[in-house]
Amino acid sequence: SRYLEKNEPLEVQLDMRPAEGVEPMKGEVSSVYLQDSYVWTQGNNYAMAKQLQRWRALVARAGGHVVSANVGPASLTHSVLHNRLVAAGMYGCQHFGVEPFEVDTANYVMTALLIHDLCCTTSAAHPSTPLASPLMLFAENSAHGGVWRAAYKTNSVTEVAAVVFLLSAVRPYILGLLAGAAVYNNYQHYSRL
């Protein structure tokens, strides 16, 4: 279905055999979950740019560099809010368990996570920290704003969220119109008596 598709992250089984000469990790996991949070309105170029960032982060960490690659929350940036439909979807997603962050809040949260990654030598950002999967680099300190635990896939709820937001925005006017119609109807009825 195109709308309100159940959010079921893809479970990927991991090969947990340690490489030759590598000690097994403590607290190993046997699988990771992949979350599809792509929204079609972002476009192909955006998706490719984000994927290239992830690939580059994985290559840099494998090359021995400290890499802070935390997932940030949906944010109410100018580029998001300049399109009225996208803005309505962002504001409406609160009805579906996703909290879009104000820009300053997102900046503070992501700065704190960056400082943590640089200062904490046991964080996933440090290549000396063993990870069950390279993809765990993107999962450890995610500030996803509820997207990962939401009931519906991000792309299947954006238009519905926009409609819900727009209806909630016009609700007072509709109620006022209905109240006015009721008053007018009562006036018409009693003026004939």
Side-chain angles (χ1 to χ4, degrees), residues 52-65:
L52 287 172
Q53 285 178 345
R54 287 185 204 101
W55 286 337
R56 185 64 197 124
L58 293 173
V59 168
R61 188 179 187 280
H65 299 281

